[in-house]
């Protein structure tokens, strides 16, 4: 069956073509397919709904009508540091874009922050998340797709996530333009790519403290080895790792962790 889609030319340094599909399995999967199949593929795919939206750690990502489901190509050789570092800068740029979007509309009563590594938080609930996928280990033909999901106009959520998720509409009691938000995000991602390319990743890392959800707070986090670590968050390191100091004064560096909770 032919998918219903539309395409637009856009004018950014790293993005010149955007394709919109009313329904798609996953915008990340679709973008990888287009990169393989088409001679001149778009660098951005947006879906109206996703039937098989993917979250981190193999989780299902609920993606009904009303949210922003977007995937962008990140240049393969961009980041000499590891993927955790890219996760940090992408999460930060996304939080900045959402924050500018709502504050330029005059809404300043709630904070948008980023919970390590890259959950987008609105006060204490999850507004969105990012999934970076990489294909090919060879840097020269490495393909990186950044998928981003933001809850914009949904008013209810599946019961699996209803206690932890929120949307802009639920918080601000009005509808928002998904298209305008997409513009803010694309612009911020474009400028992030340019900054990394120009050797300014440390400047971006410096901004993390202004948007961090957990800096200075006591947290518990699960590591990939399924060990729970507790401590107070004192910063991030050069690779984007989260730095904790525990009650004995020992420092822990978490490179790969999940389910961070404030304790
Ligand atoms: C997370 O678990 O927090 C990451 C969620 C990422 C969801 C986005 S929606 C657009 C893109 N397509 C997908 O299938 N997933 C990402």
């Amino acid at each position: 069956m032919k998918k219903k889609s539309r395409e637009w030319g856009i004018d950014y340094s790293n993005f010149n073509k955007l394709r919109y599909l009313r329904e798609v399995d996953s915008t990340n999967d679709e973008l990888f397919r287009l990169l393989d199949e088409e001679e001149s593929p778009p660098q951005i795919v947006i879906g109206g709904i996703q039937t098989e939206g993917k979250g981190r750690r193999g989780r299902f990502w609920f993606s009904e009508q009303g949210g922003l489901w977007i995937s962008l190509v990140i240049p393969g050789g961009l980041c000499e540091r590891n993927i955790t570092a890219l996760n940090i800068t992408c999460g930060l740029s996304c939080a900045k874009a959402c924050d500018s979007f709502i504050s330029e509309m005059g809404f300043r009563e709630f904070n948008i922050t980023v919970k390590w590594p890259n959950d987008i938080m609105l006060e204490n609930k999850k507004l969105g998340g990012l999934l970076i996928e990489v294909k090919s280990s060879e840097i020269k033909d490495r393909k990186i797709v950044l998928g981003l999901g933001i809850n914009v106009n949904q008013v209810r959520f599946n019961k699996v996530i209803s206690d932890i998720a929120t949307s802009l509409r639920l918080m601000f009691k009005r509808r928002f333009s998904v298209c305008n938000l997409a513009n803010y995000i694309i612009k911020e991602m474009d400028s992030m790519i340019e900054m990394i390319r120009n050797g300014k990743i440390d400047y971006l890392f410096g901004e993390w403290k202004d948007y961090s959800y957990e800096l200075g707070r006591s947290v518990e986090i699960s590591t990939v080895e399924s060990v729970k670590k507790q401590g107070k968050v004192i910063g991030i390191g050069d690779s984007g790792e989260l730095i904790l100091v525990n009650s004995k004064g020992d420092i822990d560096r978490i490179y790969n962790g999940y389910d961070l909770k404030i304790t």
Side-chain angles (χ1 to χ4, degrees):
M1 193 179 75
K2 178 125 180 53
K3 292 180 184 140
K4 288 211 166 63
S5 69
R6 287 186 65 186
E7 192 158 281
W8 286 270
I10 51 174
D11 194 16
Y12 290 93
S13 308
N14 298 284
F15 309 113
N16 61 30
K17 217 189 261 187
L18 178 159
R19 190 169 299 174
Y20 171 84
L21 292 104
R22 208 190 291 164
E23 183 179 313
V24 62
D25 51 357
S26 150
T27 53
N28 273 24
D29 290 351
E30 177 70 8
L31 189 47
F32 274 123
R33 281 193 293 267
L34 298 175
L35 293 175
D36 280 344
E37 289 164 9
E38 296 195 0
E39 212 166 284
S40 166
Q43 305 84 19
I44 301 181
V45 167
I46 296 184
I49 60 168
Q50 296 185 117
T51 52
E52 289 166 50
K54 300 188 292 184
R56 291 179 69 215
R57 301 182 51 74
R59 290 174 182 154
F60 185 77
W61 183 259
F62 293 93
S63 322
E64 298 89 358
Q65 191 76 39
L68 172 61
W69 322 125
I70 179 171
S71 296
L72 307 93
V73 174
I74 303 289
L78 180 70
C79 191
E80 286 161 13
R81 295 188 195 173
N82 58 9
I83 291 294
T84 307
L86 197 58
N87 259 309
I88 297 296
T89 52
C90 290
L92 179 63
S93 301
C94 179
K96 276 163 69 178
C98 293
D99 195 47
S100 314
F101 173 67
I102 57 161
S103 50
E104 282 169 26
M105 291 176 75
F107 297 103
R108 295 196 175 83
E109 64 265 49
F110 300 120
N111 283 327
I112 291 195
T113 53
V114 55
K115 186 171 92 163
W116 192 90
N118 56 19
D119 280 348
I120 308 300
M121 305 295 287
L122 181 50
E123 295 294 289
N124 286 313
K125 290 200 167 182
K126 182 159 167 168
L127 179 71
L130 280 74
L131 175 68
I132 295 182
E133 294 188 282
V134 183
K135 297 231 166 122
S136 172
S137 47
E138 292 285 316
I139 294 215
K140 67 173 176 29
D141 43 31
R142 187 161 83 164
K143 293 191 180 88
I144 306 179
V145 164
L146 161 66
L148 221 150
I150 305 287
N151 300 320
V152 184
N153 290 317
Q154 302 102 301
V155 284
R156 62 188 73 82
F157 291 100
N158 184 290
K159 63 176 185 316
V160 177
I161 56 166
S162 60
D163 287 344
I164 54 162
T166 193
S167 68
L168 292 178
R169 182 163 177 193
L170 282 173
M171 287 299 274
F172 295 102
K173 315 281 180 239
R174 54 156 286 169
R175 292 182 69 87
F176 289 85
S177 159
V178 175
C179 185
N180 284 351
L181 176 60
N183 273 328
Y184 273 75
I185 285 178
I186 296 167
K187 185 164 170 246
E188 198 60 53
M189 292 301 164
D190 190 57
S191 93
M192 175 201 79
I193 292 172
E194 288 306 295
M195 288 191 75
I196 298 179
R197 191 172 274 145
N198 295 326
K200 296 197 177 124
I201 192 166
D202 288 322
Y203 176 86
L204 292 173
F205 267 48
E207 288 185 311
W208 175 83
K209 62 180 182 325
D210 303 330
Y211 287 89
S212 168
Y213 175 73
E214 64 276 342
L215 181 63
R217 300 169 86 180
S218 294
V219 302
E220 180 179 273
I221 185 162
S222 305
T223 67
V224 273
E225 299 83 22
S226 297
V227 178
K228 285 198 185 339
K229 299 270 185 182
Q230 284 103 6
K232 186 171 159 185
V233 176
I234 56 170
I236 50 168
D238 285 352
S239 301
E241 76 274 20
L242 191 69
I243 309 176
L244 307 182
V245 55
N246 69 19
S247 52
K248 293 188 204 133
D250 302 327
I251 300 284
D252 259 321
R253 289 177 180 264
I254 315 292
Y255 289 84
N256 210 337
Y258 59 95
D259 287 347
L260 181 147
K261 290 183 186 68
I262 305 292
T263 53

